[in-house]
Amino acid sequence: MPNLEHPAYPAATLLHLESLVPCRESQVSMLLSIFGERQQFSFPSIFIYGHTSSGKTYVMQTLLNTLQLPHVFVNCVEYFTSRLLLEEILMQLQSCCSEREQTSHVHCDTFNDFVRLFKQAVVSRELEDQTLYIVLDRAEQLREMEANILPAFLRLQELTDRNVTVVLLSEIVWELFRPSIGCFEPFTLYFPDYSIGHLQKILSQNHPPEYSADFYAAYINILLGVFYMVCRDLKELQHLAALNFSKYCEPVVRGEANERDTRKLWKNIEPHLKKAMHTVYLREISSRAGENEKNVYNSDLKFGCSEKVLGLSAHTHVELPYYSKFLLIAAYLASYNPVRTDKRFFLKHHGKIRKTNFMKKHEKTSNHLLGPKPFPLDRLLAILYSIVDNRVAPTANIFSQITSLVTLQLLSMVGHNDQLDGPRYKCTVSLDFIRAIAR
Amino acid sequence: MASDQIRNKGVNVTDHDLTFRSLSEVLQNNITPYIALLEAKDCPGIKNLMQKLMGQLMNCYIDVDSSEDEDYVQVSHNRIRCSMTSLINWYEHVTKKPDSETPSKKRTSSSRHWQSPPVVVVFKDMESFSTKVLQDFIVISSQHIHELPLVLIFGIATSPMIIHSLLPHFVSSLLCIELFQSLSCKDHLSTIIDKLLLRASFPFKLGEKVLQVLINIFLYHDFSVQNFIKGFQLCIVEHFCSQPVSVLCCQLVDAKKRADSLSHDQCENIRKLPSFRRYVESQVSEKQIALLTVDTYLKEITQKLLEDLHVYHENYLSVLRCLHVFTSFLPKYPLGKQIRELYCACLENQVWETEEYESSLQLARMLNKSDLVTMLQQCVEIFVSSSGKEFDNTVEKLKEFLTQFQKLEEEAFQEQDVSVSSQKELQKKTDLYHLQKTLLELKESRRSKKLTKFEMLRFEVVDYIDSLVRNYLVPANHKTLHEIMYFNTASVLREHLNAAPRIALHTALNNPYRYLKNQALKSDEGSISNKAPDICIVYKLHLECGRLINLVDWLEAFSTVVMGAEGPNADAASSDQVDDIIHARFIRAVSELELLGFIKPSKQKTDHVARLTWGGC
């Protein structure tokens, strides 16, 4: 285990930092050596990437906070326009070192203004003698902003002529960022995924005080054994661990087993974990966690209709009016059958049973792999008329149902042509859905 | 972590607004004053969403407070920086404030709201929101959940799985999802029909056809309770506008008074009613004369008939409910599962003459005892609670049945003993002849057992119910003066509610006389009149063409038809060159057709246009 060493910072702080960022020691020491001492100029821009929940944001935040480096931390999703982003950086900069001083609103529309205001701010806050870090989280959003934003941030040090380092955090690789006109290449740093050992170590760290660390570690071991195959997301695993731990402890609380009785505990927890497997990532409160909350809500919200609370997966059934169902089926047929077969399938003088058999076989071979094809409105209506037994008048009701199917995202409109110009649709639902509807 | 609720509901859009409005009202009264309702069409981007959200939240504060607070008005008028930070600042400011506020203003809100009420954001139509907007919003708000307690409510019309198809894992794992499902709209329809139509207190009734039209629109097209109610309201308006005798359609007491003060003309109107005529014909001749000539006598009779009708309704509904209790227990529901289906069947004609009724009686004769007893108990309840006065005997009778069933139960034990003993006898015999004989005897006894007490009683019960039905469920149109209460012109309703734009357009273009009422336009089907408007001529000509229409041919045909108007004398003057004016008229008509969506310019062939509709001559 490489101990963090740096001449500029006291050893105690470094040790504390090391305990806070388990399994990321090498990355942190790398960052520290790039940062250098407080007053030293650092690399102008650093690009850190890695998969979801590999600790990028967390490591950056703890590093900057524990070492008390002056920094600005901005999430690019939250400040979705360049103006908001730049203003936010300036605002944070104003309140950065001066405690609780009323921050006045700054107007900053362009990057040019930003550079000017930034210089002023740095001077007024007396930050010239140390490196200022600007961390842009979820930096992939920068690509959606004006073309100059990203290159300008990358060479902000040069543009402002101040001691500043921009750190970009992202989940995607640098190659996808690089603008076509070229730009300053940042220093890239990769945060690898946590291995199962890492996960074990990190998850075991926050064990509840009333139980021993070994007991909790054994629990984490079981949990990882079950879930590691489907989910390596640290956050999700943490959530699962918190969710199921009370169940795991039950035998111990009841006194039926002691903490070392792993076999018994495993027997007890196994069915719960299996159940939880189905809802990984879904976060349904109804499953377990919110039993109390639910009662509160239900007693508070008493509007006319009584509500049933069931798992999400229980509600796959969709209720549609009679003709909407037929419209959807017709749309499905139109999407997955080639036009030339319409005559054969939908003209009256064909045996109905033979027809459907043939159709199924045909679909399975090719068309389902190709996905839905667009079809014109008229074809949809023609098929509708032929599959509905009694006569359907083409009333406004029918047409409005088509649009409501589109808003429900069961059909989708293809092309952005004028409505008068023969609109074309696509059926976006699966065969299973159609089967359920047709029943 | 943003906590989050979901409501699952039917497809119709019109009802959603109402539901959400009442939901937000309830929330506003009980939980939090901070509610924002967002619609997908207002929020194409995250920026618009934030603007909308902040606008609604900050205005809502002003609404609640209603005292003209200077700086707040300013804030809402100023260009606010629409970001989460300003929202949080606003929230902090607002939640801190009530302490310093004068208590009189806040009497309702502060007492019932929590210390820091959550901000509720309702997404009315989650399906239509773009994925990115939702994702961004959830990610942003999840970062500030500690400063800004946020509850998101998603309105979902299809299945809740849509959440997971719209949101990727890393977003949905930020949520804490709870699901609420509203009642299905069919249940709402049942409630409305139950409360509106199946009540004797409400004099206005729908005829069978009209009710069928309304229910069909509901079930086949929109699932919208609101539209159903609108249709019902339309029926009321139509009824009172078109039917002169609807004056008498009101509560019985008022109706009697009004009947007393009828004018001569109104009496004549009553005499014209077909049901009244039938009634007159059934009377003896001197009474007939009196009814047709003496107004006062007519009024007297009318009052009596109205009272009859009222009593009829009261009884009708109780018996209908009772019959529904029976039919809803039967397998396969030959008379329908819902009471509305049964009601329609009973309104249509004499229900006991239908095959379905026959088969349901057959099935009822095979019911087991426990079902039968529960049904009878339900029927007793219905009759006891009904306002009809004639049901005392019925209740007695039904109770008698119930006690008989109880007695049967006691007797059943004894019977069991008998059968056991006979079987024991059977086991004793060894002789073949005797065995055969006893078997035959047993068979005989079983056949006769079919008519044992339980069977008999069951028949009796079913027959009794049958007699009730025949007595009380006479269809309304057999009743005299039913026209006063019942609205029957379904065709009017259908015309109003089932708009058929294509058909209307076709008739307008194909047969202009229908709308223009110009005698000159009255023509035979098929032929093209040259007096018709240009667009009609062009339309009729285009019906004769295939998918692609040659413009030159079309123009020539057009000019031939139009020239026909000028007569043969003009023929000499016109050469093969088409007149400029006619040409212009043609172009205008064609572009009008294009505007209506019948044709569009085609790139497949030069000088051709493509037809967008099919069919025609």
Side-chain angles (χ1 to χ4, degrees), chain A residues 52 75 77-81 83-85 87-88 91 105-106 137-138 141 144 171 233 235-236 239 280-287 289-290 293-298 300-325 377-379 381-382 385 390-399 401 404-405 407-410 420-422 433, chain B residues 1 3-11 13 22-23 26-27 30-31 46-48 50 79 81-85 88 114 118 127-129 132 135-137 139-140 143-144 151 157-164 166 169-170 172-186 188 217-223 497-503 594-597 599-601 612-614:
Chain A
T52 320
N75 188 331
V77 178
E78 186 177 346
Y79 304 97
F80 38 85
T81 63
R83 186 168 151 256
L84 282 174
L85 182 71
E87 284 176 1
E88 178 63 25
M91 296 261 281
H105 186 75
V106 271
D137 199 358
R138 303 281 305 264
Q141 294 293 322
E144 328 244 303
E171 283 175 16
D233 190 329
K235 265 189 245 159
E236 190 67 27
H239 174 72
V280 176
Y281 290 117
L282 298 190
R283 294 292 166 99
E284 290 164 28
I285 198 175
S286 350
S287 53
E293 253 171 275
K294 201 162 61 194
N295 295 338
V296 173
Y297 276 119
N298 277 355
D300 279 342
L301 310 173
K302 272 187 187 140
F303 28 89
C305 43
S306 67
E307 282 139 36
K308 280 186 287 179
V309 185
L310 287 170
L312 281 193
S313 21
H315 297 279
T316 41
H317 173 69
V318 177
E319 244 182 29
L320 288 174
Y322 185 77
Y323 281 133
S324 292
K325 284 183 186 172
L377 175 65
D378 285 339
R379 192 170 158 227
L381 291 177
Y385 297 144
N390 41 2
R391 260 189 77 246
V392 195
T395 57
N397 282 329
I398 295 277
F399 294 115
Q401 279 175 59
S404 76
L405 285 176
T407 53
L408 293 180
Q409 299 201 330
L410 299 174
L420 294 175
D421 210 19
F433 189 91
Chain B
M1 194 185 290
S3 90
D4 179 29
Q5 312 174 356
I6 296 155
R7 318 200 68 230
N8 186 21
K9 45 197 39 260
V11 282
V13 189
S22 53
L23 170 68
V26 170
L27 288 176
N30 295 328
I31 295 176
I46 180 80
K47 194 173 169 186
N48 312 67
M50 291 299 286
R79 268 290 277 130
R81 253 178 108 242
C82 54
S83 71
M84 219 55 187
T85 4
I88 289 162
W114 301 341
E127 284 93 346
S128 326
F129 275 92
K132 198 173 172 312
Q135 276 179 30
D136 285 356
F137 183 70
V139 168
I140 293 171
Q143 298 202 324
H144 297 282
V151 179
T158 52
S159 76
M161 293 314 281
I162 193 106
I163 289 198
H164 300 305
L166 275 182
H169 281 160
F170 77 90
S172 68
S173 64
L174 296 171
L175 297 174
C176 181
I177 298 170
E178 172 142 18
L179 193 73
F180 297 92
Q181 189 163 29
S182 66
L183 278 182
S184 98
C185 30
K186 286 178 188 162
H188 286 300
I217 290 179
F218 180 87
L219 290 181
Y220 284 7
H221 292 298
D222 55 7
F223 270 175
L497 294 182
N498 281 347
R502 263 198 187 184
I503 293 174
E594 192 183 334
L595 188 69
L596 289 174
I599 53 168
K600 69 169 183 182
L612 291 171
T613 53
W614 27 258

Side-chain angles (χ1 to χ4, degrees), chain A residues 406-430:
Chain A
V406 172
T407 53
L408 293 180
Q409 299 201 330
L410 299 174
L411 298 184
S412 69
M413 190 113 110
V414 183
H416 299 285
N417 292 336
D418 194 11
Q419 275 284 327
L420 294 175
D421 210 19
R424 294 163 75 80
Y425 299 94
K426 233 183 205 181
C427 180
T428 53
V429 295
S430 66

Side-chain angles (χ1 to χ4, degrees), chain B residues 110-355:
Chain B
S110 61
S111 60
R112 267 186 289 165
H113 293 151
W114 301 341
Q115 203 56 43
S116 56
V119 175
V120 177
V121 183
V122 183
F123 294 86
K124 280 188 185 175
D125 38 355
M126 194 197 180
E127 284 93 346
S128 326
F129 275 92
S130 82
T131 341
K132 198 173 172 312
V133 173
L134 275 182
Q135 276 179 30
D136 285 356
F137 183 70
I138 292 170
V139 168
I140 293 171
S141 48
S142 76
Q143 298 202 324
H144 297 282
I145 195 69
H146 299 295
E147 298 114 89
L148 186 74
L150 201 64
V151 179
L152 311 178
I153 298 183
F154 297 126
I156 297 176
T158 52
S159 76
M161 293 314 281
I162 193 106
I163 289 198
H164 300 305
S165 57
L166 275 182
L167 302 174
H169 281 160
F170 77 90
V171 176
S172 68
S173 64
L174 296 171
L175 297 174
C176 181
I177 298 170
E178 172 142 18
L179 193 73
F180 297 92
Q181 189 163 29
S182 66
L183 278 182
S184 98
C185 30
K186 286 178 188 162
D187 294 339
H188 286 300
L189 179 72
S190 303
T191 330
I192 283 185
I193 289 182
D194 189 56
K195 295 247 160 95
L196 212 56
L197 296 176
L198 303 178
R199 287 288 143 103
S201 53
F202 194 62
F204 176 74
K205 301 263 185 258
L206 294 178
E208 186 269 331
K209 289 231 175 65
V210 175
L211 184 59
Q212 202 69 57
V213 167
L214 285 179
I215 289 179
N216 279 352
I217 290 179
F218 180 87
L219 290 181
Y220 284 7
H221 292 298
D222 55 7
F223 270 175
S224 162
V225 176
Q226 220 183 5
N227 279 357
F228 183 85
I229 294 171
K230 289 226 172 94
F232 188 77
Q233 286 165 339
L234 180 69
C235 292
I236 296 178
V237 171
E238 270 296 326
H239 181 64
F240 286 103
C241 283
S242 61
Q243 182 63 269
V245 291
S246 62
V247 177
L248 296 175
C249 179
C250 53
Q251 300 297 332
L252 184 62
V253 190
D254 297 334
K256 277 185 178 172
K257 271 187 213 152
R258 284 186 202 176
D260 226 13
S261 55
L262 285 178
S263 69
H264 176 70
D265 285 349
Q266 282 169 324
C267 288
E268 283 302 309
N269 279 332
I270 290 181
R271 284 182 187 123
K272 275 183 210 156
L273 293 178
S275 70
F276 189 75
R277 278 201 208 155
R278 253 181 281 142
Y279 172 75
V280 170
E281 277 158 25
S282 66
Q283 302 295 317
V284 283
S285 56
E286 54 261 39
K287 267 196 177 176
Q288 280 186 3
I289 294 164
L291 276 173
L292 293 177
T293 51
V294 186
D295 278 359
T296 47
Y297 183 64
L298 173 78
K299 284 174 192 170
E300 210 176 284
I301 291 293
T302 311
Q303 284 180 4
K304 197 171 79 60
L305 286 172
L306 281 172
E307 204 166 326
D308 279 355
L309 208 56
H310 184 73
V311 172
Y312 158 78
H313 276 140
E314 279 181 346
N315 299 338
Y316 185 95
L317 295 172
S318 305
V319 175
L320 183 76
R321 279 174 208 276
C322 175
L323 180 62
H324 177 240
V325 168
F326 267 81
T327 53
S328 59
F329 260 95
L330 300 175
K332 285 192 187 168
Y333 312 105
L335 276 170
K337 196 176 179 180
Q338 305 281 347
I339 196 165
R340 57 165 187 264
E341 295 163 82
L342 186 67
Y343 184 51
C344 281
C346 294
L347 279 176
E348 194 179 6
N349 44 31
Q350 292 166 334
V351 73
W352 55 88
E353 282 174 359
T354 58
E355 272 177 43

Side-chain angles (χ1 to χ4, degrees), chain A residues 233-278:
Chain A
D233 190 329
L234 181 59
K235 265 189 245 159
E236 190 67 27
L237 284 170
Q238 265 169 343
H239 174 72
L240 286 167
L243 207 64
N244 292 308
F245 187 60
S246 60
K247 287 273 187 281
Y248 184 72
C249 296
E250 254 173 23
V252 179
V253 173
R254 282 200 305 257
E256 288 169 9
N258 68 12
E259 295 196 1
R260 308 223 158 269
D261 209 349
T262 31
R263 188 173 193 82
K264 208 167 200 175
L265 290 171
W266 162 246
K267 274 269 157 57
N268 174 55
I269 191 74
E270 192 188 4
H272 297 294
L273 292 184
K274 273 203 176 136
K275 215 165 84 190
M277 272 289 252
H278 296 291

Side-chain angles (χ1 to χ4, degrees), chain B residues 554-566:
Chain B
W554 202 3
L555 170 61
E556 240 153 54
F558 177 75
S559 77
T560 325
V561 173
V562 175
M563 295 304 260
E566 267 96 85

Side-chain angles (χ1 to χ4, degrees), chain B residues 517-542:
Chain B
K517 304 286 180 207
N518 184 346
Q519 282 304 318
L521 296 176
K522 219 171 178 179
S523 68
D524 308 325
E525 280 296 307
S527 72
I528 304 173
S529 152
N530 46 27
K531 293 195 186 65
D534 292 345
I535 186 169
C536 297
I537 301 171
V538 171
Y539 178 77
K540 278 194 179 178
L541 287 170
H542 115 288

